[in-house]
Amino acid sequence: MQCNSILPELADGHENDESNALKRSKSNRWHIGAVQALLDMPFGDLIFQAQQVHRQHHNANAVQLSTLISVKTGGCPEDCGYCPQAARYHTGVDNQAILSVDSVVAAAVAAKEQGATRFCMGAAWRGPKQRDIEIVTKMISAVKALGMETCATLGMLKPGQAGQLGAAGLDYYNHNLDTSADYYDTIISTREYQDRLDTLQEVRDAGINVCCGGIVGMGETRETRAGLIAQLANLNPYPESVPINHLVQVEGTPLYGTAKLDPLEFVRTIAAARITMPKTMVRLSAGRREMSEAVQALCFLAGANSIFYGDKLLTTGNPEVQQDQALLNKLGMQSLPFDPE
Ligand code: SAM
Ligand code: DTB
Ligand code: SF4
């Protein structure tokens, strides 16, 4: 029986004359059309192909657990249409000054006890100031000393800042492209797509792992989702971690009330990320609390192999730890141990 599979080698960037339209171009880049062809496949064929790629590169029954903390909440000058922390929207999020290093370490200890191996510190900044970097680097060193992987998401970085974060022991920097270049200015007007790409380059140049993904369910088309995935897959190298967030609709934000995305479209996006970026950790990110267990299970089948773990994301809710443990048990999945590599 014929299924629309591409050869697994191809998914890792090699050309093959026998391959069909679902492939990278001669220049070894993913065309938006090729990613859209993946998204257009019959659902079963797409998941089968994603599983093949996934099993070639990963333990298909293991998931990496990261816990988030908001180290500085609300009052952000940016206008991201999805975000409850933008100062200009009235969302009921209370502004909170930067947390103390001690309280962040206490939260990391608790996260580690619950089984998280990575601790991600987020701040509602357009970008950090030097005095912010000085505090965050202390947080990073202290969390790293607990034997956890460290991640931070602090907004745009100026030259030199990524180096300071890396020297403190930062393993990953999260900086999302969020959507395709074409759709970006309908969602955010206070910065350019290129600003995001510039920060990603700063992170790369500092030798820090890149965590970069986006949000779906923002009223975009399938072509827009293809554009996001192609953009991510064409980063050279592609990110080590790719969070795929489902928009959490927060009252007061411009995107509140956006027509709901069909959950299977979300699953398709995960599968396309897996196929185009075979070795990356694809993170089933925001929006899990609003998702059924069955949809989450489909996301794991489609190649997701990491999640945010803990009762809260930054300002919105996440499934409770006990609920996630029960789901992973039900699926026979295990958490990935800390990998010092
Ligand atoms: N301020 C920094 C920045 O924007 O890069 C770091 C924190 S920001 C909250 C981190 C990411 O959270 C955003 O890039 C976006 O992808 C995601 N995010 C924010 N609000 C969200 C929402 N309502 N639903 C889904 N993802 C969201
Ligand atoms: C990412 O891609 N998703 C996380 C993390 N990186 C920082 C953030 C999700 C935020 C959801 C809305 C909130 O809780 O404020
Ligand atoms: Fe600010 Fe980040 Fe929220 Fe945008 S996503 S408003 S930059 S905290």
Side-chain angles (χ1 to χ4, degrees), residues 119-191:
F119 194 67
C120 180
M121 295 157 268
W125 290 318
R126 175 174 163 83
K129 302 193 166 53
Q130 186 52 31
R131 65 169 184 273
D132 301 324
I133 292 280
E134 275 152 28
I135 302 174
V136 173
T137 48
K138 290 196 179 96
M139 294 173 180
I140 291 166
S141 307
V143 172
K144 185 84 178 159
L146 298 174
M148 296 183 89
E149 281 183 311
T150 56
C151 176
T153 181
L154 315 171
M156 292 184 279
L157 298 179
K158 295 186 198 69
Q161 291 186 325
Q164 293 179 68
L165 297 171
L170 188 68
D171 296 306
Y172 288 81
Y173 194 78
N174 168 243
H175 199 64
N176 291 337
L177 289 173
D178 282 333
T179 190
S180 70
D182 288 349
Y183 200 57
Y184 202 69
D185 65 3
T186 60
I187 304 294
I188 299 155
S189 76
T190 49
R191 58 174 186 259

Side-chain angles (χ1 to χ4, degrees), residues 6 9 16 33 57 64 73 87 90 94 96 102 117 153 162 199 204 210 224 243 255 258 260 277 316 326 340:
I6 53 171
E9 295 83 13
N16 186 301
H57 296 278
Q64 190 272 328
T73 306
H90 301 286
D94 291 328
Q96 192 176 43
D102 286 351
T117 57
T153 181
T199 288
R204 263 286 163 244
V210 170
T224 300
L255 289 179
T258 302
K260 293 268 162 39
M277 295 171 275
T316 64

Side-chain angles (χ1 to χ4, degrees), residues 56-332:
Q56 200 181 13
H57 296 278
H58 303 274
N59 174 347
N61 299 309
V63 65
Q64 190 272 328
L65 307 177
S66 292
T67 293
L68 270 173
I69 185 170
S70 178
V71 301
K72 188 268 166 186
T73 306
C76 184
E78 302 269 56
D79 71 350
C80 312
Y82 47 76
C83 186
Q85 302 198 68
R88 65 193 74 200
Y89 311 137
H90 301 286
T91 60
V93 168
D94 291 328
N95 296 350
Q96 192 176 43
I98 192 160
L99 298 179
S100 68
V101 175
D102 286 351
S103 61
V104 171
V105 171
V109 168
K112 187 179 178 187
E113 277 168 6
Q114 287 185 318
T117 57
R118 190 178 305 166
F119 194 67
C120 180
M121 295 157 268
W125 290 318
R126 175 174 163 83
K129 302 193 166 53
Q130 186 52 31
R131 65 169 184 273
D132 301 324
I133 292 280
E134 275 152 28
I135 302 174
V136 173
T137 48
K138 290 196 179 96
M139 294 173 180
I140 291 166
S141 307
V143 172
K144 185 84 178 159
L146 298 174
M148 296 183 89
E149 281 183 311
T150 56
C151 176
T153 181
L154 315 171
M156 292 184 279
L157 298 179
K158 295 186 198 69
Q161 291 186 325
Q164 293 179 68
L165 297 171
L170 188 68
D171 296 306
Y172 288 81
Y173 194 78
N174 168 243
H175 199 64
N176 291 337
L177 289 173
D178 282 333
T179 190
S180 70
D182 288 349
Y183 200 57
Y184 202 69
D185 65 3
T186 60
I187 304 294
I188 299 155
S189 76
T190 49
R191 58 174 186 259
E192 308 277 323
Y193 212 64
Q194 189 59 47
D195 294 327
R196 298 303 268 188
L197 294 169
D198 291 346
T199 288
L200 291 169
Q201 195 58 51
E202 292 288 334
V203 172
R204 263 286 163 244
D205 291 347
I208 299 168
N209 291 304
V210 170
C211 172
C212 180
I215 309 178
V216 298
M218 299 196 294
E220 75 285 341
T221 60
R222 195 179 259 185
E223 189 183 3
T224 300
R225 289 187 284 281
L228 167 67
I229 297 297
Q231 184 77 45
L232 294 168
N234 288 334
L235 293 173
N236 190 11
Y238 59 71
E240 283 75 19
S241 166
V242 174
I244 304 293
N245 295 275
H246 191 296
L247 174 70
V248 179
Q249 296 203 9
V250 179
E251 200 166 352
T253 59
L255 289 179
Y256 182 71
T258 302
K260 293 268 162 39
L261 183 74
D262 182 330
L264 297 185
E265 280 297 314
F266 183 82
V267 178
R268 283 178 182 274
T269 311
I270 297 258
R274 167 53 65 225
I275 292 166
T276 56
M277 295 171 275
K279 292 180 183 156
T280 197
M281 300 298 286
V282 176
R283 186 183 305 271
L284 165 53
S285 301
R288 279 199 307 118
R289 202 179 53 165
E290 293 74 24
M291 250 171 238
S292 68
E293 289 194 336
V295 169
Q296 293 183 60
L298 281 174
C299 290
F300 293 130
L301 273 177
N305 60 352
S306 79
I307 56 171
F308 286 121
Y309 177 71
D311 303 351
K312 208 169 172 194
L313 293 167
L314 293 174
T315 65
T316 64
N318 199 41
E320 288 179 6
V321 160
Q322 288 76 5
Q323 215 177 321
D324 274 342
Q325 284 172 348
L327 175 61
L328 295 181
N329 277 338
K330 210 189 295 190
L331 299 175

